[in-house]
Every structure is written in C-alpha cells, then in structure tokens.
C-alpha cells in the first residue's frame, strides 16, 4: 500500500514543534507555507543567500531568521528540513542527526552514492526519524494506481513506462542558476524513476541508459535521459526524462498480465486515471481536480506525525537510495 495520507490536520499536536528549514529557494518556501498551515509552532530558516532568506520570510510571515545552519542547529529544533543543493544533503543530514534532531531530506538523497550508506547507518543507530521527500508517492492518482496494482486488478505488473518532460526555460526562467542545469540535468526529474521502482516493488537486475545534451536549450548537464530497467522477476521499465518537451507531460503506464493502468498527471490542477481490465472490453476513466500542494502537505504531515506520535515513515532513506543507485549506474553507463 502507499503512504498514509488521510487524517485530521493535527494542528494542536504540532504546535509545540520547532522546525528549521535549511535552504530558502522555491521548495523551501513551499515547505514553510505548508508547515505554517499545519500549525507548527516555531519555524526558523537559514540560507547563505540573504535575499533568499528574506524572500521566504516575506512569503511566510512569522518565520524566524537564523544566521547560519550551525546557528539553527544550536537553537535545538525538533526537526530539520534540508532543502539545499544535493551535494550538501549528506553532510548536512549527518550533522543534523549527530545533533540529535530528526531530518527531512529533499530528493535526491545526494548527487552521488558517496556517504549515503554511512548516513543510513548513522540514522538507524540514532533512533531519529529520517524521511526523503518522494512527494509523488503522495499524489492522489498515483496512490490510487498503487492500490489497484496491489489488489491485483490488472494481474502481475510486467511492464512499466514512465514519461516526464517539460521545457525548462519556460518552467524556470532562472534555469541557468539551478543546480539541475549544471549537475544532474534531467536526472533531477527522478521522481518518475522512483515511481517506477515503487510500482515494481522488487530489486533491479540490469540498468541501461542513454543520456546527454540533445536539445538547444543551452545547459551543460544532460537535457535528455532514457533508462531501461530489468527487475528480478519478469518485469521491465522504461523511464524517459527531458528538459525540452512542450507542452509539459507526465504519464505513468502500468501493463499487467490482466490489464493496464494509465495515469496522466502533467497538469497540477487535475489528473486522469484510466484502467482496462481483462474481460470487460472497455476503459474505465476518472478525471479529478487536485492541487500541487496536496502531496507536499501529505508528506509533511506524515513526517510531523512520525515525530509526535513515534510512527513509522514510508519514504525512508533506504527508499530514497534506490533511485539514486539507479541514477548512479545510468550515469556510469
């Protein structure tokens, strides 16, 4: 089953929490707003760029500034959200855990596998909660598809096709300043790779990939990634990720031995889920409205509830490691 999403806001339970946000870019602003809506009593933030910090505080009144990450840790927060470029994730997460704090780590866990296993071991020994921001596992349509798959509605899944593409200069006019334009490139769209791994729910046996600069958008990093996966037990997946496609598209196709599920979720305000079951000779389709914040709100609530009520976390460091391991193998190949 997918991560638990439904439930009351629990605002009163979160009122005593103190959360530090390390990183005040667009994802930092989103988490700040949602944590405030959920009722977190004290939210502090730090960023080496003072303008970023002030922009976040202007967007979410009440957030307290910290002069540095270390100053934020010294303030004894209950939890830290690490929302920085990926190469900083592992060292900052280790510092957070060694300081005795719970940690939420935005995806990817890192830009390489260096230090990831040591971080997982450290978190396991510490008893602190550690969660990775695999937000699309909380998307309403994708969770519904997972339930259908787990309940055997299309038989055993044998093939998975994931596609995501967007024109980066249109989506982010400041794209040349982004780490994804200089480092991981289209690999940064690995949410869809994570979904393929989540649906397959078995170890990867082979990784094949093609990646590079194929368009004219003008970034140094790969703007196109094609990955082919073979899993251990009669299942394969293809994952397409690009930074130049118009219009923005996102689609997940699950092909089973007794049917097919297709989820189209390229727009933030709605999705379409279709299922074909053997013997019925027709597609059943649902279209529903949604909001982009819904999945972020659900994952943040799960993290806070795990802290307050000592509950298990679905999107663990081990889960985040899986996609990064595939990306590392694809980049080597």
């Amino acid at each position: 089953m997918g991560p638990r999403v439904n439930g009351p806001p629990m605002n009163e339970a979160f009122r005593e929490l103190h959360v530090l946000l390390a990183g005040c870019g667009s994802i930092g602003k989103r988490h700040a707003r949602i944590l405030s809506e959920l009722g977190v009593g004290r939210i502090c933030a730090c960023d080496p760029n003072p303008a970023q910090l002030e922009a976040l505080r202007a967007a979410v009144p009440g957030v307290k500034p910290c002069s540095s990450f270390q100053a934020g840790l010294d303030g004894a927060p209950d939890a830290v959200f690490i929302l920085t470029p990926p190469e900083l994730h592992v060292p900052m997460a280790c510092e957070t855990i060694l300081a005795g704090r719970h940690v939420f780590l935005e995806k990817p866990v890192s830009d390489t596998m260096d230090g990831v296993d040591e971080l997982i071991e450290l978190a396991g020994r510490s008893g602190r909660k550690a969660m990775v921001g695999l937000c699309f596992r909380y998307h309403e349509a994708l969770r519904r598809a997972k339930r259908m798959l787990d309940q055997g509605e299309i038989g055993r899944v044998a093939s998975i096709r994931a596609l995501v593409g967007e024109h980066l200069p249109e989506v982010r006019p400041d794209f040349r300043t982004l780490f994804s334009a200089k480092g991981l490139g289209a690999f940064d769209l690995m949410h869809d790779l994570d979904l393929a791994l989540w649906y397959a729910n078995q170890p990867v046996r082979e990784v094949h990939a093609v990646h590079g600069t194929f368009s004219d958008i003008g970034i140094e990093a790969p703007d196109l990634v094609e990955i082919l996966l073979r899993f251990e037990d009669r299942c394969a997946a293809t994952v397409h990720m690009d930074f130049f496609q118009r219009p923005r598209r996102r689609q997940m196709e699950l092909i089973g031995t007794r049917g097919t599920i297709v989820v189209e979720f390229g727009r933030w305000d709605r999705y379409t889920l279709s299922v074909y079951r053997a013997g019925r000779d027709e597609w059943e389709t649902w279209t529903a409205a949604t909001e982009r914040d819904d999945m972020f709100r659900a994952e943040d609530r799960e993290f806070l509830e795990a802290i307050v009520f000592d509950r298990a976390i679905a999107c663990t460091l081990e889960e985040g490691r899986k996609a990064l391991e595939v990306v590392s193998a694809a980049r080597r190949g």
Side-chain angles (χ1 to χ4, degrees):
M1 296 295 289
R4 175 178 43 78
V5 173
N6 296 323
M10 301 288 188
N11 290 5
E12 289 301 320
F14 302 155
R15 197 172 301 280
E16 300 302 317
L17 290 177
H18 172 189
V19 171
L20 170 66
L21 302 178
C24 298
S26 61
I27 192 64
K29 293 182 181 69
R30 188 176 301 278
H31 282 292
R33 184 178 67 253
I34 289 170
L35 292 170
S36 179
E37 291 172 359
L38 289 173
V40 172
R42 181 176 175 82
I43 303 172
C44 298
C46 61
D47 195 291
N49 183 338
Q52 288 270 55
L53 175 57
E54 288 310 307
L56 183 146
R57 295 184 65 215
V60 187
V63 173
K64 308 297 182 184
C66 292
S67 59
S68 67
F69 178 59
Q70 187 58 56
L73 283 182
D74 290 344
D78 296 292
V80 178
F81 279 63
I82 297 177
L83 314 168
T84 56
E87 64 269 20
L88 301 177
H89 285 184
V90 168
M92 293 179 75
C94 287
E95 286 185 65
T96 298
I97 292 169
L98 288 172
R101 311 304 167 198
H102 305 288
V103 62
F104 180 101
L105 196 59
E106 259 303 337
K107 72 84 189 168
V109 173
S110 183
D111 60 336
T112 72
M113 292 297 295
D114 294 345
V116 171
D117 289 336
E118 290 79 4
L119 170 61
I120 291 172
E121 182 181 355
L122 177 64
R125 291 199 312 266
S126 73
R128 300 295 89 189
K129 303 295 183 182
M131 182 172 181
V132 180
L134 305 176
C135 60
F136 278 95
R137 294 195 187 191
Y138 298 83
H139 188 285
E140 179 180 329
L142 298 166
R143 290 189 298 111
R144 188 170 183 179
K146 184 69 161 68
R147 288 195 298 270
M148 288 179 172
L149 193 62
D150 290 346
Q151 291 165 4
E153 293 196 26
I154 62 166
R156 175 181 57 81
V157 65
S159 178
I160 300 168
R161 297 175 184 171
L163 178 149
V164 56
E166 60 187 18
H167 196 262
L168 188 60
E170 291 181 357
V171 175
R172 291 293 300 267
D174 61 342
F175 71 99
R176 295 186 190 282
T177 68
L178 302 177
F179 73 85
S180 55
K182 303 173 184 178
L184 289 173
F187 281 109
D188 190 45
L189 296 168
M190 68 175 72
H191 278 301
D192 301 77
L193 169 60
D194 171 69
L195 290 171
L197 298 173
W198 186 44
Y199 287 128
N201 194 31
Q202 56 176 295
V204 174
R205 196 165 84 186
E206 297 177 23
V207 178
H208 306 276
V210 173
H211 55 88
T213 303
F214 287 78
S215 78
D216 301 320
I217 64 172
I219 64 172
E220 302 169 11
D223 57 20
L224 172 66
V225 177
E226 301 277 4
I227 297 177
L228 172 62
L229 302 176
R230 181 171 183 171
F231 296 93
E232 283 195 353
D233 185 18
R234 298 170 296 163
C235 182
T238 59
V239 182
H240 168 102
M241 302 175 281
D242 78 69
F243 268 155
F244 51 83
Q245 186 169 168
R246 292 187 179 102
R248 185 179 188 274
R249 292 182 63 206
R250 215 158 200 154
Q251 181 170 301
M252 182 66 59
E253 186 173 327
L254 308 172
I255 304 172
T257 55
R258 294 189 54 77
T260 300
I261 298 171
V262 178
V263 184
E264 296 178 355
F265 56 112
R267 291 179 52 161
W268 295 118
D269 61 346
R270 72 175 186 223
Y271 67 80
T272 300
L273 185 152
S274 302
V275 58
Y276 184 95
R277 301 176 182 87
R280 297 195 183 182
D281 296 328
E282 63 180 7
W283 287 89
E284 189 174 3
T285 299
W286 301 267
T287 298
T290 186
E291 294 181 6
R292 186 176 185 179
D293 277 355
D294 289 346
M295 56 188 181
F296 292 98
R297 190 175 294 111
E299 69 172 358
D300 284 3
R301 181 185 296 134
E302 180 178 290
F303 180 58
L304 298 180
E305 288 180 350
I307 294 170
V308 173
F309 304 114
D310 192 24
R311 291 176 177 168
I313 285 173
C315 296
T316 60
L317 291 172
E318 289 86 350
E319 287 296 296
R321 182 190 188 281
K322 293 176 182 178
L324 182 60
E325 186 174 30
V326 171
V327 166
S328 297
R331 293 175 79 184
R332 288 196 304 269

